[in-house]
Amino acid sequence: NFRENIMNDRTKPSNASCGIRQNNSLAALGVLFSQQQISRAELARALGLNRSSSGSIISELLADSFVREVADSKQKSVRKVGSGRPGVLLELDPQAASFVGVEIGVEHISTLRIDMMANVVDFAVDNFDGRSTPVEDAIIQAMAQAFENIPKNELAQIRGVGLTCPAQMDRNGRVSLAPILGWKDVDLAALMRAALPIDVPIMIENEANCFAFGESYRHPEKRVGVSLFLVLESGVGGGIVIDGRLFRGAHGLAGEIGHLVVRNDHELEQVLGLDWLLDRHREITNRQTSNLQDLLNDVQDREPKAVQIADDWANDLAVAVVAVCRLLDPDRIVLGGSVAVLYPMVAGRVAHYVDGLQASTFPSARIEVHEAAETGAAYGAACMLHKRFLSPDDTRTVEGALE
């Protein structure tokens, strides 16, 4: 069908008109994704085409089952009896294509699948010991988890797989360093290719950047301004979005706020991360084991030593917020990852510490907790493939970051 033929069509000079048609078809899909439902006339205007040219594109998309017709429910609700047929709108067929997102964390692997409308179709999270699992085994386990519950008759609809993890990497999917996982100089793209059960485009990106990308993907109103995204897991990852575009910096490391030194020569990644919190909690309770829920319960019960841990966490977060506000001047800071659930319990203390550190004339960013923190990075990885699928200028299978 048209999506698989794009690259071949564009590499043949005699097929210039065909290439333009393919571009217009993809542009039509993009309009339908952003508008959800639209009339034929409105789609023609959005594409800048006459009705004849637009009609030809629509017919092709209908024939390929990427688009379907639906009744205009608003018009139908006000239509009088005998006033004629209700209007017909166009929308993407959610089942036309799907995209897989995979997040390899330190203590879990999250996998999900989104449909053509970027809705989550299925989601799974399994416990995982990232520190002691060789990278090859980690990739094999992650790909197996991603595909184990997908029916065979739906594999053909998968148009890409995105992988994300807490690591420093280049645009070709090669990890230079993943300190918590213990990975160094690893070609993740090659390992992923070898473990995939199907041949589809792949994408590999840092987990904070994926989280940042996915958070506003279906919400254009959130793309305006400057946003900092923090993934709070065993460590702390950061991503920056400026007017809807990821800002990576000169070497792809922009937003790595986790390496900011906050107190006693400790990096923010240490004092805000899950490992630090649980180590302190085990120390004060003399427990052999402790998990995040144990700590949250003790904080909620106002256990003094647990409250002190939470208060220290709030203070360190405030130091980071003030530093970021002075450097980036963001409109908002979005918290994701498992540890983000602690923030609502100490939001008042964070605001108190920020007020004490921040000059009154300097604006502070609003802090939000992502509504689906557990799926954030994996969802963003899938969305990156979704966006590339709908990009008219995409003629490559790129195994790296989305431009």
Side-chain angles (χ1 to χ4, degrees), residues 63 82 178 196 268 277 283 295 352 368:
L196 271 176
L268 190 68
L277 288 172
E283 181 181 348
L295 172 61
H352 168 75
E368 307 170 4

Side-chain angles (χ1 to χ4, degrees), residues 95 113 150-158:
Q95 299 180 354
R113 188 163 47 117
I150 300 178
K152 289 185 178 180
N153 64 338
E154 296 182 18
L155 290 176
Q157 274 68 52
I158 297 175

Side-chain angles (χ1 to χ4, degrees), residues 246-276:
L246 279 173
F247 175 72
R248 292 186 172 83
H251 306 96
L253 300 177
E256 287 293 343
I257 191 176
H259 299 291
L260 176 69
V261 176
V262 288
R263 61 180 169 87
N264 299 330
D265 294 328
H266 287 119
E267 293 184 347
L268 190 68
E269 186 165 68
Q270 296 173 291
V271 297
L272 290 187
L274 182 62
D275 291 348
W276 176 271

Side-chain angles (χ1 to χ4, degrees), residues 11-246:
T11 56
K12 299 176 183 178
S14 60
N15 282 348
S17 61
C18 185
I20 293 173
R21 188 178 72 251
Q22 306 287 12
N23 280 356
N24 287 334
S25 295
L26 290 175
L29 293 181
V31 171
L32 287 165
F33 174 65
S34 62
Q35 299 297 319
Q36 297 192 5
Q37 291 185 344
I38 193 171
S39 69
R40 280 173 163 78
E42 290 170 330
L43 180 58
R45 286 195 293 271
L47 296 175
L49 300 174
N50 60 43
R51 289 200 176 191
S52 175
S53 298
S54 177
S56 176
I57 291 171
I58 293 169
S59 295
E60 183 178 0
L61 294 175
L62 287 168
D64 284 339
S65 298
F66 278 97
V67 173
R68 63 186 183 186
E69 296 178 323
V70 293
D72 186 345
S73 57
K74 293 182 180 179
Q75 187 184 90
K76 186 177 181 179
S77 65
V78 300
R79 184 173 58 92
K80 297 180 180 180
V81 177
S83 61
R85 297 175 59 189
V88 176
L89 300 179
L90 300 170
E91 69 177 11
L92 293 179
D93 186 338
Q95 299 180 354
S98 63
F99 307 84
V100 175
V102 179
E103 178 197 3
I104 299 179
V106 180
E107 299 179 338
H108 69 274
I109 293 177
S110 299
T111 58
L112 56 74
R113 188 163 47 117
I114 64 173
D115 62 20
M116 193 67 172
M117 287 300 297
N119 298 309
V120 176
V121 177
D122 49 52
F123 168 70
V125 58
D126 284 351
N127 293 331
F128 172 68
D129 186 358
R131 291 182 176 85
S132 62
T133 304
V135 60
E136 296 85 355
D137 295 340
I139 298 298
I140 291 172
Q141 181 176 336
M143 294 304 109
Q145 177 180 318
F147 284 86
E148 63 181 349
N149 293 320
I150 300 178
K152 289 185 178 180
N153 64 338
E154 296 182 18
L155 290 176
Q157 274 68 52
I158 297 175
R159 303 307 176 96
V161 179
L163 173 67
T164 183
C165 60
Q168 298 175 18
M169 60 184 67
D170 65 18
R171 293 173 182 262
N172 297 311
R174 177 175 285 277
V175 169
S176 57
L177 183 65
I180 301 179
L181 289 170
W183 301 350
K184 187 176 181 180
D185 192 24
V186 177
D187 188 349
L188 281 188
L191 294 177
M192 187 176 172
R193 280 281 179 208
L196 271 176
I198 57 176
D199 184 16
V200 293
I202 67 173
M203 186 81 68
I204 300 174
E205 178 58 281
N206 170 274
E207 106 277 23
N209 283 343
C210 281
F211 171 57
F213 183 87
E215 193 270 346
S216 62
Y217 186 59
R218 294 180 61 197
H219 306 282
E221 71 279 3
K222 292 184 178 182
R223 299 174 194 166
V224 179
V226 179
S227 299
L228 172 69
F229 298 83
L230 297 181
V231 179
L232 306 172
E233 290 286 355
S234 296
V236 177
I240 300 169
V241 173
I242 302 175
D243 289 332
R245 293 182 63 87
L246 279 173

